[in-house]
Amino acid sequence: MRRGGPGEGAVIAVWGRGRNPKKRGTGMTQTGYSSFDTTLHKTNRMLRQIEESCGWPKERRNQSYGALRAVLHAVRDRLTVDETAHFAAQLPLLVRGLYYDGWHPSGVPMKMHREDFLDHIRREMPPCEVEGGTEKLVSSVTQALRLYVTDGEWQGIKAELPKDLAEMLP
């Protein structure tokens, strides 16, 4: 079920009766498909980590989703097509769809340095307050992403970025 209005985009839970009879009556149920259940769990875990890092309550889930989306798109648009695909392959299925949403591979990589990168995120991110500003937001999101990406791939991403951008990543 999609919660939130157009542009808010928080895909968080599947409501109603699931295929698992043990889960009935709990409000939020399993989808009945293990790959969907897994990606929902991983995505919610990632969003919770962003919220905790930013000091946001769960009620600000649309902002954690917006932050994840904005940072993913800024990283994606700065990488080469090959590196974009390697990175995406390690993301949870739902996050991978978010990552590719609206992508125009013929226009990448976009040349961005630190301020251009942060401006890209600010333009795509819904207005919100984060103590520490956009750089703190990037740190919070990349820490959450880091749970799903191998060391080798993470180093490959950092190697593709200018030094001033790579320094922002964990």
Side-chain angles (χ1 to χ4, degrees):
M1 175 179 191
R2 183 173 182 185
R3 295 193 292 183
E8 293 178 37
V11 179
I12 306 301
V14 176
W15 295 90
R17 291 187 186 193
R19 293 180 186 249
N20 184 346
K22 293 180 183 175
K23 297 287 184 177
R24 286 188 185 161
T26 62
M28 194 180 336
T29 63
Q30 299 293 316
T31 64
Y33 301 100
S34 64
S35 60
F36 290 175
D37 295 339
T38 299
T39 196
L40 286 170
H41 172 76
K42 288 178 179 180
T43 302
N44 277 315
R45 180 177 167 210
M46 192 178 292
L47 294 172
R48 272 192 308 275
Q49 183 174 348
I50 294 167
E51 290 159 6
E52 289 171 9
S53 179
C54 290
W56 296 337
K58 184 178 180 178
E59 293 75 31
R60 291 182 69 181
R61 179 61 48 101
N62 284 337
Q63 285 185 329
S64 59
Y65 171 87
L68 176 61
R69 183 178 191 279
V71 172
L72 280 171
H73 287 182
V75 169
R76 174 202 71 193
D77 291 346
R78 183 58 184 88
L79 298 176
T80 64
V81 171
D82 284 346
E83 193 60 43
T84 294
H86 291 299
F87 179 43
Q90 295 192 15
L91 297 173
L93 182 63
L94 186 57
V95 176
R96 190 178 320 144
L98 173 64
Y99 180 65
Y100 279 124
D101 185 44
W103 186 46
H104 300 286
S106 62
V108 297
M110 296 170 69
K111 299 298 179 196
M112 288 186 268
H113 288 280
R114 189 182 201 106
E115 276 311 307
D116 302 319
F117 183 81
L118 294 171
D119 285 342
H120 188 295
I121 292 166
R122 287 182 199 113
R123 281 190 307 272
E124 194 163 323
M125 177 68 193
C128 69
E129 292 183 30
V130 179
E131 190 174 320
T134 308
E135 289 187 31
K136 169 64 174 162
L137 186 73
V138 170
S139 175
S140 297
V141 171
T142 54
Q143 287 289 346
L145 288 168
R146 190 68 185 89
L147 296 174
Y148 299 97
V149 180
T150 64
D151 290 339
E153 181 57 35
W154 199 255
Q155 293 310 314
I157 291 167
K158 290 176 77 168
E160 290 273 329
L161 301 174
K163 186 176 181 177
D164 65 340
L165 263 180
E167 290 171 346
M168 290 177 36
L169 303 182

